[in-house]
Amino acid sequence: MERVAVKRFILLLMIVFIGYVSKPLWEEPVQQFVSSYVMNPIQSTVDWAQENPDIDAAIDSLNQQLNSLFATIGDLSPSDSNDTDIETPELTDPTDQVFSIHNIEIGDSRAEVEQETGEPQRTSENEYGVDWEAYHENYQNFIMVAYDEEDIVRGLYTNQDLIASSTGIELGSPKESVDEHLGTPESSIRKGLVNYQINHNGEYDVFQTDNNYVTMFYDKHENDTVTAIQVIEEGLEQNKNAFYTEPSEQLQEGLEYQLFDLTNATRAKHDLPILSWDDQVRETAQDHSLDMAENHYFDHVNLQGQSPFDRMEEDDIRFTTAGENLAYGQFSSIYAHEGLMNSLGHRENILQGNYRNLGVGVAFNDESQPYYTEKFYSDSLAL
């Protein structure tokens, strides 16, 4: 009886406290941020919270906040943090190639891969006309693998601590060490009669080794250290005969799910809650990407003057916090995501602990260039 009385007293205090600190959320935006223009690739970001006009939704939000608080005090509800202890595999130096990922090398078989990783969590088409198979355990030990028709590995990617190399390069290695061991990066890739210039913006370098194209991605906010690696077999790269791939519904869906998975893999690496896929906000994101692609503009505010919030409300999406990332000009979700992580405003959205849902929408313009819209939100104030 005494315990019940104490809980009621704490409940009353929490209602008064949360009602006070949450008041600005119901009256005016808490934060509004729009990043500066970023050159090649073009990117933009917005991260803001808006007044919730629905008092019932606000009360629901308050109840969810109280439940979260009491979960901490009395273990009354489960935590949604990504704190599952999953064992990292013991890495060994590659035997046939300079690099391996999760002890997998280009040329290995699907059977060898899945003996190491288990079954894939998702299969989605990529810009090379084959599938990325995503392997992970709740987005830990995350890798993507591309196979040819004979189930031989022709592509690999990871942004987690699963890189092994005969040169000693690993996740977190400085760019200077990469240059020392791999030499001068490629300045262009020839496809047919066309040389495609590689953008040397300091965010990544492409090297040709072992008949593979190895892209090393660097984190500008972590002293230009290795943050991800992509390895593509030369034949697979040459099969892609243009910089941008011909659009299709399968490619559109593939790029959307790949950007979603990459975002969650990054959040897992930073010990943040995993985001849930949201079909409703995905449609809102798709509509905005299509509008930009068809009408040749790139902005959070559309030609009708609607903000990201206006578009969400028009689609009956209830939220207390929301954010939007835009990207344009990258031929794959990997390059889009790694670029977004190197822009501080986009990075803050990707690593925002309060978000719980994400939808991604992709559309292509008449030059096959993809427009990416990421829409993050939460319908309760995550504590």
Side-chain angles (χ1 to χ4, degrees):
M1 193 70 180
E2 194 170 82
R3 179 179 172 84
V4 172
V6 170
K7 279 193 173 181
R8 285 178 178 171
F9 178 70
I10 294 174
L11 176 62
L12 178 60
L13 287 180
M14 290 302 102
I15 290 173
V16 173
F17 173 74
I18 295 176
Y20 176 75
V21 299
S22 301
K23 191 176 180 183
L25 283 175
W26 303 333
E27 291 184 343
E28 61 185 11
V30 173
Q31 180 184 15
Q32 181 169 320
F33 171 79
V34 179
S35 74
S36 59
Y37 179 81
V38 181
M39 291 292 291
N40 196 14
I42 305 168
Q43 300 168 337
S44 187
T45 185
V46 64
D47 177 16
W48 46 15
Q50 184 184 11
E51 175 184 352
N52 188 336
D54 185 350
I55 189 63
D56 291 330
I59 292 171
D60 289 342
S61 174
L62 174 59
N63 288 333
Q64 292 181 45
Q65 294 170 59
L66 288 171
N67 287 337
S68 179
L69 281 171
F70 281 119
T72 303
I73 296 169
D75 196 25
L76 300 180
S77 64
S79 169
D80 59 356
S81 63
N82 185 43
D83 57 2
T84 304
D85 187 16
I86 295 175
E87 184 178 352
T88 301
E90 182 179 349
L91 301 178
T92 59
D93 288 343
T95 56
D96 299 321
Q97 309 267 314
V98 173
F99 290 98
S100 65
I101 295 174
H102 205 307
N103 297 324
I104 300 161
E105 302 177 45
I106 299 293
D108 286 350
S109 68
R110 179 188 285 268
E112 291 173 304
V113 171
E114 296 186 355
Q115 183 177 1
E116 188 81 22
T117 64
E119 295 291 320
Q121 300 298 312
R122 192 191 309 281
T123 299
S124 57
E125 186 171 311
N126 64 26
E127 68 278 11
Y128 292 101
V130 297
D131 292 330
W132 278 125
E133 308 272 2
Y135 299 89
H136 59 86
E137 302 162 82
N138 198 30
Y139 289 101
Q140 297 185 54
N141 296 333
F142 177 86
I143 67 171
M144 296 198 300
V145 183
Y147 301 98
D148 64 15
E149 293 178 351
E150 297 178 351
D151 278 343
I152 301 300
V153 176
R154 299 303 181 199
L156 289 165
Y157 167 88
T158 190
N159 60 2
Q160 297 188 358
D161 191 12
L162 299 168
I163 304 168
S165 171
S166 59
T167 64
I169 296 170
E170 59 187 3
L171 194 80
S173 291
K175 184 178 185 299
E176 292 80 6
S177 178
V178 176
D179 292 340
E180 177 184 347
H181 288 99
L182 298 185
T184 304
E186 299 293 309
S187 60
S188 63
I189 295 180
R190 186 175 183 85
K191 292 179 179 291
L193 300 176
V194 180
N195 274 331
Y196 290 92
Q197 196 74 19
I198 296 174
N199 175 27
H200 285 282
N201 57 5
E203 295 183 358
Y204 63 87
D205 285 320
V206 180
F207 301 90
Q208 196 167 8
T209 180
D210 293 333
N211 297 316
N212 301 320
Y213 287 98
V214 178
T215 305
M216 306 298 299
F217 296 94
Y218 306 110
D219 192 329
K220 295 170 67 174
H221 302 287
E222 296 289 343
N223 301 315
D224 289 326
T225 52
V226 173
T227 190
I229 182 174
Q230 176 182 268
V231 184
I232 300 294
E233 189 263 337
E234 185 177 6
L236 182 61
E237 182 65 54
Q238 291 304 321
N239 284 341
K240 181 173 176 282
N241 56 16
F243 190 75
Y244 294 107
T245 305
E246 188 71 22
S248 68
E249 290 184 10
Q250 291 77 16
L251 179 61
Q252 175 192 359
E253 182 179 85
L255 295 179
E256 290 170 350
Y257 280 121
Q258 288 152 27
L259 192 52
F260 173 80
D261 286 342
L262 292 164
T263 299
N264 270 332
T266 297
R267 289 175 67 88
K269 186 166 67 172
H270 288 81
D271 297 320
L272 291 169
I274 298 305
L275 301 175
S276 297
W277 177 262
D278 189 291
D279 275 321
Q280 187 179 9
V281 84
R282 174 202 197 181
E283 292 182 11
T284 306
Q286 286 177 332
D287 288 345
H288 189 57
S289 288
L290 184 61
D291 189 37
M292 291 188 294
E294 289 183 341
N295 293 291
H296 308 289
Y297 75 95
F298 186 72
D299 204 322
H300 292 289
V301 179
N302 66 18
L303 301 181
Q304 290 71 46
Q306 292 179 308
S307 73
F309 289 143
D310 296 330
R311 300 193 303 274
M312 290 176 72
E313 289 182 346
E314 186 175 65
D315 291 342
D316 297 322
I317 299 170
R318 191 185 73 177
F319 59 93
T320 53
T321 59
E324 180 176 271
N325 281 352
L326 303 179
Y328 156 65
Q330 304 86 355
F331 62 83
S332 81
S333 291
I334 289 175
Y335 281 85
H337 173 73
E338 298 300 339
L340 290 168
M341 281 296 292
N342 271 319
S343 177
L344 189 58
H346 307 88
R347 185 188 187 96
E348 289 176 352
N349 265 345
I350 292 167
L351 301 181
Q352 171 57 257
N354 286 338
Y355 294 145
R356 292 295 179 267
N357 306 294
L358 172 61
V360 180
V362 170
F364 304 89
N365 65 13
D366 51 13
E367 296 179 357
S368 301
Q369 297 170 325
Y371 286 71
Y372 301 85
T373 301
E374 288 184 300
K375 296 193 75 69
F376 306 82
Y377 81 99
S378 178
D379 61 2
S380 64
L381 187 63
L383 298 179

